[in-house]
Amino acid sequence: MPAESLQSDAHEHQVDYRQLVYSMVQGVVLQNPNGEIIGANRASERILGLSVEQMKGRTSMDPRWRSIREDGSEFPGREHPAMMALRSGEEVNGVVMGVFHPRWNHYKWIKIDAVPIFTKGADKPHMVFTTFADITEQKLAEQALSRSEKRFRGLYEATTEGIAFHEVIYDSAGEPHDYRIIDINPSFTKHTNIKRETAIGAIASEMYGVNPPPYLDIYSKVAENGDPISFEAYFEPMKKYFRIAVFSPQQGQFTTVFEDITSRKRAEAERDTKVKLQGAMEMAGAACHELNQPLQVMIGTLELMALNTHQTPDLDRNIDSILSELNRLKEITNKIQNITRYETKIYIGDTRIFDLDKASRE
């Protein structure tokens, strides 16, 4: 091939290469050994909000970049990837930086790679080739996720309900036989008296001291099919009632959200007892009311018999004894009718019985 043709092909390839760089979706900037921008492509204009002419001559040290790190602190020009590459002669990759976009009046986030360019035989680069991608949407999404996680963490830490994350442990046959605690919130300790350092990583059957572990059949089913469930249960080892909601964040895992409802359950039981007692006292009062009339008749009849009949001494004693018991029975029925409160007393051992005298006393 003639030399003239080779030169022509080389020139065409050079033009194509420059056009390729100019058309890239990534921003491209060339800087000389002093860090001054000597060229840039079209994408860099869009990402940085400046024309090539506005960028030319600027260095990384220019305060108008207003560049920041991911934590919001200042990103000194001397530490920009291009300047680091010029000083070290080595590539600098994957640096995230925020740069102020003057047209949109807010920050753009870019991910930067800087490659030093050397002339043949030179010890130091004569320019640096910097490429950067606009990752603003990704960064904003990460920031939104971080804020959401912080809000969730705050709720997780502050909620009065106990929360625990678990993973099911399967045996060699693939059947659930236990579960492990992955994480807990502070209220878990409040409701169970189990400290965080004891709970995290613990096997449930060992931690709770029961085998199989509590409610394994319910929890493993939720972890398998993903259908949430809630229930109330009495846990004998802790002598407590709990209301528990269970859901599965992913297969093989489950989360419990629970609260100690022991006080409520005891209050309900006490209220039920009082309702039943009130019904029993009302029924007893009605029965006593019905008994009073025949009692009065029997007492009156015996008193007449004692006055009008010639009795033997034994009969007198018997009539007196019967009258005494009937009057005692009448006194009891009167007390039952006058019950105003629930009072008990010790009977035998620890047994308590209803204290009729105190309960009917005004």
Side-chain angles (χ1 to χ4, degrees):
M1 183 179 290
E4 184 178 313
S5 176
L6 286 172
Q7 290 175 358
S8 176
D9 287 346
H11 178 69
E12 289 176 4
H13 284 302
Q14 185 179 20
V15 171
D16 290 344
Y17 174 75
R18 289 178 178 177
Q19 184 62 37
L20 176 63
V21 171
Y22 187 72
S23 303
M24 286 173 61
V25 294
Q26 285 184 309
V28 178
V29 168
L30 288 174
Q31 292 168 259
N32 65 21
N34 297 322
E36 296 171 338
I37 295 175
I38 57 176
N41 71 345
R42 183 167 52 195
S44 67
E45 294 181 304
R46 171 179 53 81
I47 295 171
L48 300 176
L50 299 168
S51 67
V52 173
E53 293 304 316
Q54 289 173 315
M55 283 187 272
K56 279 185 177 180
R58 275 199 192 189
T59 70
S60 298
M61 312 300 290
D62 195 311
R64 287 176 293 179
W65 293 118
R66 295 166 61 177
S67 52
I68 58 173
R69 300 183 187 276
E70 290 183 270
D71 62 3
S73 63
E74 181 185 357
F75 204 135
R78 180 177 172 77
E79 297 178 20
H80 285 200
M83 303 305 293
M84 297 283 286
L86 283 171
R87 284 199 307 275
S88 67
E90 297 179 354
E91 292 186 18
V92 179
N93 298 310
V95 176
V96 175
M97 177 190 294
V99 290
F100 189 75
H101 195 290
R103 295 180 189 172
W104 293 358
N105 198 35
H106 68 69
Y107 276 89
K108 280 274 192 177
W109 289 96
I110 56 176
K111 191 171 186 178
I112 308 168
D113 296 318
V115 181
I117 308 297
F118 295 83
T119 57
K120 189 175 181 179
D123 294 331
K124 293 184 178 181
H126 76 285
M127 69 172 62
V128 61
F129 182 82
T130 304
T131 61
F132 49 92
D134 183 354
I135 61 167
T136 304
E137 289 188 8
Q138 174 189 332
K139 193 66 179 175
L140 292 176
E142 290 174 356
Q143 290 173 345
L145 178 60
S146 177
R147 288 192 296 270
S148 177
E149 288 177 346
K150 286 180 180 178
R151 286 194 294 268
F152 172 76
R153 173 58 63 175
L155 178 63
Y156 177 70
E157 297 288 343
T159 183
T160 58
E161 295 179 311
I163 302 176
F165 295 90
H166 314 77
E167 61 181 1
V168 179
I169 299 174
Y170 297 90
D171 61 20
S172 57
E175 295 296 323
H177 77 98
D178 218 319
Y179 52 88
R180 180 180 290 104
I181 292 83
I182 301 172
D183 193 19
I184 64 169
N185 74 336
S187 289
F188 178 96
T189 299
K190 178 182 175 182
H191 291 308
T192 65
N193 293 321
I194 299 173
K195 295 181 178 180
R196 181 177 180 82
E197 53 267 29
T198 301
I200 302 302
I203 304 301
S205 59
E206 297 174 1
M207 187 178 77
Y208 294 116
V210 292
N211 194 12
Y215 320 119
L216 175 63
D217 54 340
I218 297 174
Y219 294 160
S220 59
K221 186 176 180 180
V222 173
E224 181 65 27
N225 61 31
D227 295 332
I229 191 172
S230 61
F231 62 97
E232 293 183 359
Y234 179 71
F235 188 46
E236 176 62 30
M238 293 184 181
K239 309 295 184 186
K240 290 183 175 183
Y241 288 92
F242 293 102
R243 182 182 64 81
I244 307 171
V246 194
F247 67 92
S248 176
Q250 65 181 63
Q251 192 168 31
Q253 295 185 354
F254 65 92
T255 300
T256 55
V257 181
F258 64 95
E259 63 176 330
D260 181 355
I261 58 170
T262 306
S263 296
R264 192 196 80 191
K265 282 290 187 180
R266 287 175 178 168
E268 288 176 354
E270 185 177 347
R271 185 168 59 250
D272 289 344
T273 299
K274 287 182 177 179
V275 169
K276 292 176 181 178
L277 179 63
Q278 182 64 33
M281 289 192 299
E282 289 175 357
M283 184 173 64
C288 288
H289 177 73
E290 295 298 323
L291 285 172
N292 275 338
Q293 185 174 358
L295 276 174
Q296 194 63 44
V297 171
M298 285 188 286
I299 291 170
T301 301
L302 284 172
E303 288 175 344
L304 288 174
M305 288 177 60
L307 292 174
N308 300 324
T309 306
H310 298 288
Q311 303 103 338
T312 64
D314 287 343
L315 183 58
D316 282 339
R317 284 193 297 273
N318 288 336
I319 290 175
D320 288 342
S321 176
I322 294 171
L323 280 172
S324 176
E325 293 302 316
L326 288 174
N327 281 315
R328 182 167 173 269
L329 183 58
K330 184 179 178 182
E331 182 181 347
I332 291 172
T333 60
N334 286 335
K335 286 181 179 179
I336 292 174
Q337 286 182 297
N338 291 323
I339 289 175
T340 58
R341 58 186 179 273
Y342 179 64
E343 294 284 350
T344 62
K345 62 182 178 181
I346 299 294
Y347 182 54
I348 299 175
D350 292 332
T351 304
R352 300 192 69 86
I353 62 172
F354 195 75
D355 191 331
L356 188 56
D357 289 330
K358 288 184 178 179
S360 60
R361 190 177 299 159
E362 294 296 336

